[in-house]
Amino acid sequence: MLLRIRSRDGLERVQVGGPHVSISQLKALIESQLQIPIHNQTLSTDRNLLLAKTPADLLRFTDMSDPSRPLSSLNLSHGSVVFLYYQSERTVRGGAPVCPAGSFGRKMTMDDLIAKQTRITRQESPHCDSVSFDRDSANAFQRYVNETLAFAVKRGGFMYGTVSEEGRLEVDFIYEPPQQGMEDDLILLRDPEEEKLVDAIAAGLGRKSVGFIFTQTIMQDKKDYNFSNKEVLQAAELHAESGLKEWVTVVVKLEANEDGDADVHFEAFQMSDMCVKLFKEGWFVTEFGEDDDPKLSKMKKEVVVGGKDVKEVDNDFFLVVVKIIDHQGPLSSTFPIENRNNLATMRTLKNHLDRTKSLPFVKRIADFHLLLFLAMSHGLGSDVPALAECVSTETAVPEGYQLLIESMANTS
């Protein structure tokens, strides 16, 4: 029987005798096969174990604390995943032999020397403490990809919000650019003019771009990875482009629950500093073949991972887990979202204003997607950031703007 062990070092495999094996025997096998001392191991079937930061955090994970408990009592079988936390330094067997340089061996180039110094290890801590989603915004995104797209093709969007001094991200809305989603790939057809409007509206709302969110399809759910090699490359590119150290990448996917049904899950990560650095310096192979393992990212030159010189790196080495929480933000997310099949019209605007007529006008337009629609309609682009500032400060909208918007709606 084979168990998959996920730790800070990525996904590894341990061969065990069968489901009758006890937890103490499993720990001995991990020590033997993965070189992690038994006394340093904390095991759990709960993925949140990898988020533990203090010894007190580890005490919460008790499902595998009884050494005599058999694996079968935890419903662990061939291919199951067990999460492993350890703090010690790890010695990996089978490191690559050292090749002598000079007259008795091949000469080392400057690239060789740089590669020898490029060691890829797991980054323990993210630069942001957590990412908090506005509930309505997150629900609008997951409802569309679940109920309309049925997780059959990929979908993505840029998250906008704020970053606190403590490094906490708050996401208040998601902008979905023009894109082409496929079963295992996502092509962003970015429109610079539209993105300028988006950023201007966000600035008026006191927000900025803080991350990227994307979905994995139901076909990808059958694959054994958190991010595919294509997703690592896209996430690293967007993180590097942002220039924001707290930038977060979020994946949304379907996962089977204990009852056999499927639940929508959000998981947040930061691309490691090393990942972003390697991307900027052009180390990643950017072409993919049909036979490539999506769990591995290919490098143009050898790097050192676990004491071995390799050209393929487990994608998990580039991911740093970020805690997810939620909040109720000041904006609504009821207006049709841009670049979807259900395009907004002036009739849509009128229906929205009629539905919210009991509210002050500034509250009726407190929706990023509505503001973007106004910015792209009838040359209002330069005026909408001023409206966004009214929304941000909750001050009355000038009468002229209100009359203009209502007049536009009544032309439907």
Side-chain angles (χ1 to χ4, degrees), residues 158-342:
F158 290 95
M159 305 184 297
Y160 280 77
T162 57
V163 183
S164 71
E165 291 183 359
E166 296 78 23
R168 173 181 170 182
L169 267 63
E170 285 200 354
V171 176
D172 289 313
F173 61 87
I174 299 169
Y175 159 64
E176 298 179 22
Q179 57 196 273
Q180 181 180 355
M182 291 165 278
E183 187 178 281
D184 65 348
D185 202 1
L186 177 63
I187 300 174
L188 300 179
L189 307 172
R190 299 172 67 177
D191 181 341
E193 291 303 314
E194 184 171 291
E195 290 191 14
K196 285 181 182 178
L197 289 175
V198 170
D199 289 340
I201 295 169
L205 293 170
R207 307 294 190 269
K208 65 180 180 180
S209 186
V210 295
F212 184 68
I213 185 171
F214 70 94
T215 62
Q216 289 180 343
T217 64
I218 51 177
M219 292 304 296
Q220 287 183 283
D221 186 50
K222 299 177 182 178
K223 307 293 177 64
D224 185 21
Y225 54 72
N226 284 312
F227 278 28
S228 71
N229 46 16
K230 292 180 182 178
E231 290 163 352
V232 166
L233 195 64
Q234 184 174 57
E237 179 180 9
L238 295 174
H239 191 148
E241 176 188 303
S242 75
L244 182 69
K245 68 176 183 179
E246 296 90 355
W247 182 270
V248 167
T249 304
V250 176
V251 59
V252 182
K253 55 188 174 181
L254 280 179
E255 287 191 352
N257 58 30
E258 295 178 353
D259 299 325
D261 298 323
D263 294 329
V264 178
H265 280 266
F266 284 63
E267 295 180 3
F269 300 91
Q270 280 199 296
M271 308 314 291
S272 70
D273 295 344
M274 177 59 74
C275 177
V276 177
K277 177 178 182 289
L278 292 176
F279 175 81
K280 288 180 176 179
E281 295 177 357
W283 285 63
F284 283 91
V285 173
T286 57
E287 299 295 327
F288 304 97
E290 290 184 3
D291 297 329
D292 289 347
D293 187 341
K295 299 192 296 291
L296 303 175
S297 291
K298 286 187 173 182
M299 300 287 115
K300 294 178 180 177
K301 294 174 285 191
E302 286 187 340
V303 294
V304 180
V305 180
K308 298 180 180 180
D309 293 343
V310 298
K311 278 194 170 182
E312 293 184 332
V313 181
D314 188 315
N315 299 333
D316 282 354
F317 275 95
F318 297 129
L319 303 179
V320 189
V321 178
V322 177
K323 180 172 61 177
I324 291 182
I325 53 181
D326 62 11
H327 67 278
Q328 192 64 55
L331 303 175
S332 70
S333 294
T334 57
F335 196 79
I337 292 172
E338 62 285 342
N339 298 312
R340 291 184 178 179
N341 293 330
N342 56 333

